[in-house]
Amino acid sequence: MTYFSFFKSESLLLWRHKQDTLNALLFFVIVVTLFPLGIDATPDFLTVSAGGIIWCATSLAVLMSISRMYREDYEDGSLEQWLVSGLYLPFLILLKVTVQWLFMIAPLLLILPIVGGMLYLSEESFWVLVATLLLGSPSLFLIGSIGAALTVSLQQGAMLLMLLILPMYIPILIFATSAIKASEIGLPYLGSLAMLLAISLLSLVFAPFMAAASIKASVNE
Amino acid sequence: MQSADFLTITDLWIERGERVLCKELSFSVQSGEVIRILGENGAGKSSLLKALLGTVLIDEGSILYLGEDITADRSNLHKDTLYIGHSVGLKKALTVRENLALYCPDVSIEGYQPILEELGLAPFLDMPVNKLSQGQARRTALSRLWLTQKSLWILDEPFSALDDQACLLLEKKIEQHSLAGGVVLLTTHIPLSSIQPRELEFAV
Ligand SMILES: Nc1ncnc2c1ncn2[C@@H]1O[C@H](COP(=O)(O)OP(=O)(O)OP(=O)(O)O)[C@@H](O)[C@H]1O
Ligand SMILES: [Mg+2]
């Protein structure tokens, strides 16, 4: 096994399992459409809440799709093979998270114009939304991968434990939605974007190590 | 000076859950040796192999690899080890060829056509692993023995699900490996016909 062959096979695997990604995207679209139907479909309400709605839906969809990201690897013995491969486990994890991120965020960005239009998002806010997603979503995946690693050997309650990860999403959610809201009412938003970038960089540094430690513990169990 | 043992295990303690699997287990392994670990179901054979690899924690004891203490950090050992456990680590949604490309990326499958023929895998190269039989999947995992060059083979019940022809093929390969100076640690519950490994009784 090499880093490159690992990256290739992970991409191939996600492609073979594309139905899972599609399901998460479908879930995203459904959640986003439920808000106007359930609360208020007037442009006044939707323009100000669009950022929050899209970010809540994204966080849930991400959590859903990556909560089981190591499950198959655990069951088929791959985790053990990673551990004895002589390769650096945090880096393998980083590669796997990158693949997951690319496969989810690329289609999400593609359907975003439709979703944004549905929520009456102005053009400038739309681009701010894209920026928040690009800068903030890596941390969603990185932090989520810690949760997935922690719960990989649990038969029951894995989803419940994943919800424990949600509080760590709150700062990301706050900075992302405040950036979008600020742009909607003409206030500066670069500070919030910078914070999102900072959180992503921070999780880039810590999450692979924490996930690697959890995986080692799960395999040892 | 006498050259160092391939592996030296001293006073190993392994506990799993409530059970002490072994206490003060000591043995050493020389280059070219084939060692079979004996013990009933649940004795702790798999745990011992994993403890050597570092995926199961050891409570006490030390492990030397070529004279170097690797108890705290097995990365040097891992670089020269091929491990095939109960679960072999094949990706079910990938084909045989894709799995081999994952684990043995620097060889071309075409160069190994004869052995893949002999293992009966040649017609199935492009079939996803979840459509293979148990024995075919095990053969796919074991084909890594032919496709990679590592000194230490750790094989946990490699013969399970194999038919007689594949068992013989594997025994022959193990023999060759040991003649070439490689080391094999294995567990199995079936009698071996052509090789006589050194036996290591595993009991508390
Ligand atoms: N994940 C685990 N957590 C806790 N205890 C475990 C775990 N896996 C195995 N054990 C315990 O460790 C003991 C040894 O198990 P092990 O798998 O090493 O046995 P074995 O000798 O390989 O058996 P077999 O011949 O069936 O393969 C058993 O009592 C088992 O209950
Ligand atoms: Mg066993």
Side-chain angles (χ1 to χ4, degrees), chain A residues 1-2 5-10 12-13 16-17 72-78 80-86 96 216 219-221, chain B residues 16 50 53 55-57 75 78-79 81 83-85 87-95 98 101-106 144 150:
Chain A
M1 192 151 63
T2 59
S5 76
F6 176 77
F7 183 82
K8 263 203 320 210
S9 78
E10 284 301 323
L12 207 53
L13 273 171
R16 297 270 153 85
H17 292 306
E72 216 186 86
D73 303 318
Y74 177 73
E75 279 159 5
D76 67 18
S78 299
E80 276 181 329
Q81 291 296 333
W82 301 357
L83 286 172
V84 302
S85 65
K96 179 152 180 139
K216 275 186 193 146
V219 171
N220 176 44
E221 220 162 61
Chain B
R16 281 197 108 178
K50 290 178 186 176
L53 288 165
T55 58
V56 158
L57 293 186
S75 42
H78 291 159
K79 288 192 185 104
T81 302
Y83 166 65
I84 296 176
S87 333
V88 290
L90 293 177
K91 307 308 302 179
K92 294 200 181 66
L94 299 185
T95 64
E98 288 159 352
L102 164 65
Y103 284 112
C104 319
D106 31 56
R144 290 173 62 195
K150 305 275 174 129

Coordinates of all heavy atoms in Angstrom, one line a residue, chain A residues 1-2 5-10 12-13 16-17 72-78 80-86 96 216 219-221, chain B residues 16 50 53 55-57 75 78-79 81 83-85 87-95 98 101-106 144 150:
Chain A
M1 N 0.9 -1.2 0.0 CA 0.0 0.0 0.0 C 0.9 1.2 0.0 O 1.9 1.3 0.7 CB -0.9 0.0 1.3 CG -2.0 1.0 1.2 SD -3.5 0.5 2.2 CE -2.9 0.4 3.8
T2 N 0.5 2.2 -0.8 CA 1.2 3.5 -0.8 C 0.1 4.6 -0.6 O -1.1 4.3 -0.7 CB 1.9 3.8 -2.1 OG1 1.0 3.8 -3.2 CG2 3.0 2.8 -2.4
S5 N -1.9 4.8 -3.8 CA -2.8 3.7 -4.1 C -4.0 3.7 -3.2 O -5.1 3.4 -3.5 CB -2.1 2.3 -4.1 OG -1.8 1.9 -2.8
F6 N -3.7 4.2 -2.0 CA -4.8 4.3 -1.0 C -5.8 5.4 -1.5 O -7.0 5.2 -1.5 CB -4.2 4.7 0.4 CG -5.2 5.0 1.4 CD1 -5.8 3.9 2.1 CD2 -5.5 6.3 1.8 CE1 -6.8 4.2 3.1 CE2 -6.4 6.5 2.8 CZ -7.1 5.5 3.4
F7 N -5.2 6.5 -1.9 CA -6.1 7.6 -2.3 C -6.9 7.2 -3.5 O -8.1 7.4 -3.6 CB -5.2 8.8 -2.7 CG -6.0 10.0 -3.2 CD1 -6.5 10.9 -2.2 CD2 -6.2 10.3 -4.5 CE1 -7.2 12.0 -2.6 CE2 -6.9 11.5 -4.9 CZ -7.4 12.3 -3.9
K8 N -6.3 6.5 -4.5 CA -7.0 6.0 -5.6 C -8.1 5.1 -5.3 O -9.3 5.2 -5.8 CB -6.0 5.3 -6.6 CG -5.5 6.2 -7.7 CD -5.1 5.4 -8.9 CE -4.3 4.2 -8.7 NZ -3.3 3.9 -9.7
S9 N -7.8 4.1 -4.4 CA -8.9 3.1 -4.1 C -10.0 3.8 -3.2 O -11.2 3.4 -3.4 CB -8.3 1.9 -3.3 OG -8.0 2.2 -2.0
E10 N -9.7 4.7 -2.4 CA -10.7 5.4 -1.7 C -11.7 6.2 -2.6 O -12.9 6.2 -2.4 CB -10.1 6.4 -0.6 CG -9.6 5.7 0.6 CD -10.6 4.9 1.4 OE1 -11.8 5.3 1.5 OE2 -10.2 3.8 1.9
L12 N -12.2 5.5 -5.8 CA -12.9 4.5 -6.5 C -14.1 3.9 -5.7 O -15.2 3.7 -6.2 CB -12.0 3.3 -6.9 CG -12.3 2.5 -8.1 CD1 -12.5 3.4 -9.3 CD2 -11.1 1.5 -8.3
L13 N -13.8 3.7 -4.4 CA -14.8 3.2 -3.5 C -16.0 4.1 -3.3 O -17.2 3.7 -3.4 CB -14.2 2.9 -2.1 CG -13.6 1.5 -1.9 CD1 -12.9 1.5 -0.6 CD2 -14.7 0.5 -2.0
R16 N -18.1 3.9 -6.4 CA -18.9 2.7 -6.4 C -20.1 2.9 -5.4 O -21.2 2.3 -5.6 CB -18.1 1.5 -5.9 CG -17.0 1.1 -6.9 CD -17.4 0.2 -8.0 NE -16.6 0.3 -9.1 CZ -15.4 -0.3 -9.3 NH1 -15.0 -1.2 -8.4 NH2 -14.7 -0.1 -10.4
H17 N -19.9 3.7 -4.3 CA -21.0 3.9 -3.3 C -21.6 5.2 -3.5 O -22.1 5.8 -2.6 CB -20.4 3.8 -1.9 CG -19.9 2.5 -1.5 ND1 -20.7 1.3 -1.6 CD2 -18.7 2.0 -1.0 CE1 -20.0 0.3 -1.2 NE2 -18.8 0.7 -0.8
E72 N -17.0 0.3 7.3 CA -16.7 -0.8 6.4 C -15.2 -1.2 6.6 O -14.8 -2.4 6.6 CB -16.9 -0.4 5.0 CG -17.4 -1.6 4.1 CD -17.5 -1.1 2.7 OE1 -16.5 -1.2 2.0 OE2 -18.6 -0.7 2.3
D73 N -14.3 -0.2 6.8 CA -12.9 -0.5 7.0 C -12.7 -1.3 8.3 O -11.8 -2.1 8.4 CB -12.1 0.8 7.1 CG -12.3 1.6 5.8 OD1 -12.3 1.1 4.7 OD2 -12.5 2.9 5.9
Y74 N -13.5 -1.0 9.3 CA -13.4 -1.7 10.5 C -13.8 -3.2 10.3 O -13.2 -4.1 10.8 CB -14.3 -1.0 11.6 CG -14.3 -1.7 12.9 CD1 -13.3 -1.7 13.8 CD2 -15.5 -2.4 13.3 CE1 -13.3 -2.3 15.0 CE2 -15.6 -3.0 14.6 CZ -14.5 -2.9 15.4 OH -14.5 -3.5 16.6
E75 N -14.9 -3.4 9.6 CA -15.5 -4.7 9.5 C -14.7 -5.6 8.6 O -14.6 -6.8 8.8 CB -16.9 -4.6 9.0 CG -17.9 -4.3 10.2 CD -19.2 -3.8 9.8 OE1 -19.5 -3.7 8.6 OE2 -20.0 -3.4 10.7
D76 N -14.1 -5.0 7.5 CA -13.4 -5.9 6.6 C -11.9 -6.1 6.9 O -11.2 -6.7 6.2 CB -13.6 -5.5 5.1 CG -13.0 -4.1 4.8 OD1 -12.1 -3.7 5.6 OD2 -13.3 -3.5 3.8
G77 N -11.5 -5.5 8.0 CA -10.1 -5.7 8.4 C -9.1 -4.6 7.8 O -7.9 -4.7 8.0
S78 N -9.7 -3.6 7.1 CA -8.8 -2.6 6.5 C -8.1 -1.8 7.5 O -6.9 -1.4 7.4 CB -9.6 -1.7 5.6 OG -10.1 -2.4 4.5
E80 N -6.9 -2.6 10.4 CA -5.7 -3.3 10.8 C -4.6 -3.2 9.7 O -3.4 -3.0 10.0 CB -6.0 -4.8 11.0 CG -6.6 -5.1 12.4 CD -6.8 -6.5 12.6 OE1 -7.2 -7.2 11.6 OE2 -6.7 -7.0 13.7
Q81 N -5.0 -3.3 8.5 CA -4.0 -3.2 7.4 C -3.4 -1.8 7.4 O -2.2 -1.7 7.1 CB -4.7 -3.6 6.0 CG -5.0 -5.0 5.9 CD -3.8 -6.0 5.9 OE1 -2.7 -5.6 5.6 NE2 -4.0 -7.2 6.4
W82 N -4.2 -0.8 7.6 CA -3.6 0.6 7.7 C -2.6 0.6 8.8 O -1.5 1.2 8.6 CB -4.7 1.6 8.0 CG -5.8 1.7 7.0 CD1 -6.0 1.0 5.8 CD2 -7.0 2.6 7.1 NE1 -7.2 1.4 5.2 CE2 -7.8 2.3 6.0 CE3 -7.3 3.5 8.1 CZ2 -9.0 3.0 5.8 CZ3 -8.5 4.2 7.8 CH2 -9.3 3.9 6.7
L83 N -2.9 0.1 9.9 CA -2.0 0.2 11.1 C -0.7 -0.5 10.8 O 0.3 -0.1 11.4 CB -2.7 -0.4 12.3 CG -3.8 0.4 13.0 CD1 -4.5 -0.4 14.1 CD2 -3.2 1.7 13.5
V84 N -0.7 -1.6 10.1 CA 0.5 -2.4 9.9 C 1.1 -2.1 8.5 O 2.1 -2.7 8.1 CB 0.3 -3.9 10.0 CG1 -0.3 -4.2 11.4 CG2 -0.6 -4.4 9.0
S85 N 0.6 -1.1 7.8 CA 1.1 -0.8 6.5 C 2.4 -0.1 6.5 O 3.1 0.0 5.4 CB 0.1 0.1 5.7 OG 0.0 1.3 6.4
G86 N 2.9 0.4 7.6 CA 4.1 1.2 7.6 C 3.9 2.6 7.2 O 4.8 3.4 7.1
K96 N -8.3 10.2 3.3 CA -9.6 9.7 3.3 C -10.6 10.8 3.4 O -11.6 10.9 2.7 CB -9.8 8.6 4.3 CG -11.2 8.1 4.3 CD -11.3 6.6 4.8 CE -12.7 6.2 4.8 NZ -12.9 4.8 4.3
K216 N -6.8 3.7 16.6 CA -5.9 2.7 17.2 C -6.6 2.1 18.4 O -6.6 0.9 18.7 CB -4.7 3.4 17.7 CG -3.6 3.4 16.6 CD -2.3 4.0 17.1 CE -1.4 4.3 15.9 NZ -0.6 5.5 16.1
V219 N -9.4 -0.4 17.3 CA -8.9 -1.7 16.8 C -8.4 -2.5 18.0 O -8.5 -3.7 18.0 CB -7.7 -1.5 15.8 CG1 -7.0 -2.7 15.5 CG2 -8.3 -0.8 14.5
N220 N -7.8 -1.9 19.0 CA -7.2 -2.6 20.1 C -8.3 -3.1 21.0 O -8.0 -4.1 21.8 CB -6.3 -1.6 20.9 CG -5.8 -2.2 22.2 OD1 -5.3 -3.3 22.1 ND2 -5.8 -1.4 23.2
E221 N -9.5 -2.6 20.9 CA -10.5 -3.0 21.9 C -10.8 -4.5 21.9 O -10.9 -5.1 20.8 CB -11.8 -2.3 21.5 CG -12.6 -1.7 22.7 CD -13.6 -0.7 22.2 OE1 -14.5 -1.1 21.4 OE2 -13.4 0.5 22.6
Chain B
R16 N -6.7 -9.3 27.8 CA -7.8 -8.7 27.0 C -9.1 -8.9 27.8 O -9.5 -9.9 28.2 CB -8.0 -9.5 25.7 CG -7.0 -9.1 24.7 CD -7.4 -9.6 23.3 NE -7.8 -8.5 22.5 CZ -8.2 -8.6 21.2 NH1 -8.3 -9.8 20.7 NH2 -8.6 -7.5 20.6
K50 N -1.4 -10.1 17.0 CA -1.7 -8.7 17.0 C -0.8 -7.9 18.0 O -0.5 -6.8 17.7 CB -3.2 -8.5 17.3 CG -4.0 -9.0 16.1 CD -5.5 -8.8 16.4 CE -6.4 -9.4 15.4 NZ -7.8 -9.3 15.7
L53 N 2.3 -7.2 16.4 CA 2.1 -6.1 15.4 C 1.8 -4.7 16.0 O 1.9 -3.7 15.4 CB 1.0 -6.4 14.4 CG 1.3 -7.5 13.5 CD1 0.0 -8.0 12.8 CD2 2.2 -7.1 12.4
T55 N -1.2 -3.9 17.3 CA -2.6 -3.5 17.2 C -3.4 -3.9 18.4 O -4.5 -3.4 18.7 CB -3.3 -4.0 15.9 OG1 -3.2 -5.4 15.9 CG2 -2.7 -3.5 14.7
V56 N -2.8 -4.9 19.2 CA -3.3 -5.2 20.5 C -2.2 -4.7 21.5 O -1.0 -5.0 21.3 CB -3.6 -6.7 20.7 CG1 -3.6 -7.1 22.2 CG2 -5.0 -7.0 20.1
L57 N -2.6 -4.0 22.5 CA -1.6 -3.5 23.5 C -1.1 -4.6 24.4 O -1.8 -5.5 24.8 CB -2.2 -2.4 24.3 CG -2.6 -1.1 23.6 CD1 -3.0 0.0 24.6 CD2 -1.4 -0.6 22.7
S75 N 7.1 0.9 13.8 CA 7.1 1.3 12.4 C 8.2 0.5 11.6 O 7.9 0.2 10.4 CB 7.1 2.8 12.2 OG 8.1 3.3 13.1
H78 N 6.8 -2.9 10.8 CA 5.7 -2.8 9.8 C 6.2 -2.7 8.4 O 5.6 -3.3 7.5 CB 4.8 -1.6 10.1 CG 4.0 -1.8 11.4 ND1 3.5 -0.8 12.1 CD2 3.7 -3.0 12.1 CE1 2.8 -1.3 13.1 NE2 3.0 -2.6 13.2
K79 N 7.3 -2.0 8.2 CA 7.9 -1.8 6.9 C 8.3 -3.1 6.2 O 8.3 -3.2 5.0 CB 9.1 -0.9 6.9 CG 8.6 0.6 7.1 CD 9.7 1.6 6.9 CE 9.3 2.9 7.3 NZ 9.8 3.4 8.6
T81 N 6.8 -6.2 7.1 CA 5.9 -7.2 7.5 C 4.6 -7.3 6.6 O 4.2 -6.3 6.1 CB 5.4 -6.9 8.9 OG1 6.5 -6.9 9.8 CG2 4.4 -8.0 9.4
Y83 N 0.9 -8.9 6.9 CA 0.0 -9.5 7.9 C -1.3 -9.8 7.1 O -1.9 -9.0 6.5 CB -0.3 -8.5 9.0 CG -1.5 -8.9 9.9 CD1 -1.4 -10.0 10.7 CD2 -2.6 -8.1 10.0 CE1 -2.5 -10.4 11.5 CE2 -3.7 -8.4 10.8 CZ -3.6 -9.6 11.5 OH -4.7 -9.9 12.3
I84 N -1.8 -11.1 7.3 CA -3.1 -11.4 6.8 C -3.8 -12.1 7.9 O -3.5 -13.1 8.4 CB -3.0 -12.3 5.6 CG1 -2.3 -11.6 4.4 CG2 -4.4 -12.8 5.1 CD1 -2.1 -12.4 3.2
G85 N -4.9 -11.4 8.4 CA -5.6 -11.8 9.6 C -6.9 -12.6 9.2 O -7.1 -13.0 8.1
S87 N -9.9 -11.3 9.2 CA -10.5 -10.4 8.2 C -9.3 -9.9 7.4 O -8.4 -9.3 7.9 CB -11.2 -9.3 8.8 OG -11.7 -9.6 10.0
V88 N -9.4 -10.1 6.1 CA -8.2 -9.9 5.3 C -8.0 -8.5 4.7 O -7.0 -8.2 4.2 CB -8.2 -10.9 4.1 CG1 -8.0 -12.3 4.6 CG2 -9.4 -10.8 3.3
G89 N -9.0 -7.7 4.9 CA -8.8 -6.3 4.5 C -9.1 -6.0 3.0 O -8.7 -5.0 2.5
L90 N -9.8 -6.9 2.3 CA -10.1 -6.7 0.9 C -11.3 -5.8 0.9 O -12.2 -5.9 1.7 CB -10.4 -8.0 0.2 CG -9.3 -9.0 0.0 CD1 -9.8 -10.2 -0.7 CD2 -8.2 -8.3 -0.8
K91 N -11.4 -4.8 -0.1 CA -12.5 -4.0 -0.2 C -13.5 -4.7 -1.1 O -13.3 -5.1 -2.2 CB -12.1 -2.6 -0.9 CG -11.0 -1.9 -0.2 CD -11.2 -1.7 1.3 CE -12.4 -0.9 1.7 NZ -12.4 -0.8 3.2
K92 N -14.7 -4.9 -0.5 CA -15.7 -5.7 -1.2 C -16.2 -5.1 -2.5 O -16.5 -5.8 -3.4 CB -16.9 -6.0 -0.3 CG -16.6 -6.8 0.9 CD -17.8 -7.4 1.5 CE -17.5 -8.2 2.8 NZ -16.9 -7.4 3.8
A93 N -16.3 -3.8 -2.6 CA -16.8 -3.2 -3.8 C -15.8 -3.1 -4.9 O -16.1 -2.7 -6.0 CB -17.4 -1.8 -3.4
L94 N -14.6 -3.3 -4.6 CA -13.5 -3.3 -5.6 C -13.2 -4.6 -6.2 O -13.4 -5.7 -5.5 CB -12.2 -2.7 -5.0 CG -12.3 -1.3 -4.4 CD1 -10.9 -0.8 -4.0 CD2 -12.9 -0.3 -5.4
T95 N -12.8 -4.6 -7.4 CA -12.4 -5.9 -8.1 C -11.1 -6.5 -7.5 O -10.4 -5.8 -6.8 CB -12.3 -5.7 -9.6 OG1 -11.2 -4.9 -9.8 CG2 -13.5 -5.1 -10.2
E98 N -8.3 -4.3 -8.6 CA -8.3 -3.1 -7.9 C -7.7 -3.2 -6.5 O -7.0 -2.4 -6.0 CB -9.6 -2.4 -7.9 CG -10.0 -1.8 -9.3 CD -11.5 -1.6 -9.4 OE1 -12.3 -2.0 -8.5 OE2 -11.9 -1.1 -10.5
A101 N -4.1 -3.7 -6.8 CA -3.5 -2.4 -7.1 C -3.4 -1.6 -5.8 O -2.5 -0.8 -5.6 CB -4.3 -1.7 -8.1
L102 N -4.4 -1.8 -4.9 CA -4.3 -1.0 -3.6 C -3.1 -1.5 -2.8 O -2.3 -0.7 -2.3 CB -5.6 -1.2 -2.8 CG -5.6 -0.8 -1.3 CD1 -5.3 0.7 -1.2 CD2 -6.9 -1.2 -0.7
Y103 N -3.0 -2.9 -2.6 CA -2.0 -3.4 -1.7 C -0.6 -3.6 -2.3 O 0.4 -3.6 -1.6 CB -2.5 -4.7 -1.1 CG -3.6 -4.5 0.0 CD1 -4.9 -4.9 -0.2 CD2 -3.2 -3.9 1.2 CE1 -5.9 -4.7 0.7 CE2 -4.2 -3.6 2.1 CZ -5.5 -4.0 1.9 OH -6.4 -3.8 2.9
C104 N -0.6 -3.9 -3.6 CA 0.7 -4.1 -4.3 C 0.8 -3.1 -5.5 O 0.8 -3.6 -6.6 CB 0.8 -5.5 -4.8 SG 0.2 -6.7 -3.6
P105 N 0.9 -1.8 -5.2 CA 0.8 -0.9 -6.3 C 2.0 -0.9 -7.2 O 1.9 -0.5 -8.4 CB 0.7 0.5 -5.6 CG 1.3 0.3 -4.2 CD 1.0 -1.2 -3.9
D106 N 3.2 -1.4 -6.7 CA 4.3 -1.2 -7.6 C 4.7 -2.4 -8.4 O 5.8 -2.5 -8.9 CB 5.6 -0.7 -6.7 CG 5.5 -1.3 -5.3 OD1 5.4 -2.5 -5.1 OD2 5.5 -0.4 -4.4
R144 N -1.0 -11.7 -2.2 CA 0.0 -10.7 -1.8 C 1.3 -11.3 -1.4 O 2.3 -10.7 -1.6 CB -0.6 -9.9 -0.7 CG -1.7 -9.0 -1.0 CD -2.4 -8.3 0.2 NE -1.4 -7.5 0.9 CZ -1.6 -7.0 2.1 NH1 -2.7 -7.4 2.8 NH2 -0.7 -6.3 2.7
K150 N 8.4 -9.0 1.5 CA 8.6 -8.7 2.9 C 9.2 -9.9 3.6 O 8.9 -11.0 3.3 CB 7.2 -8.4 3.6 CG 6.4 -7.3 2.9 CD 6.8 -5.9 3.3 CE 6.1 -4.8 2.5 NZ 5.5 -3.8 3.3

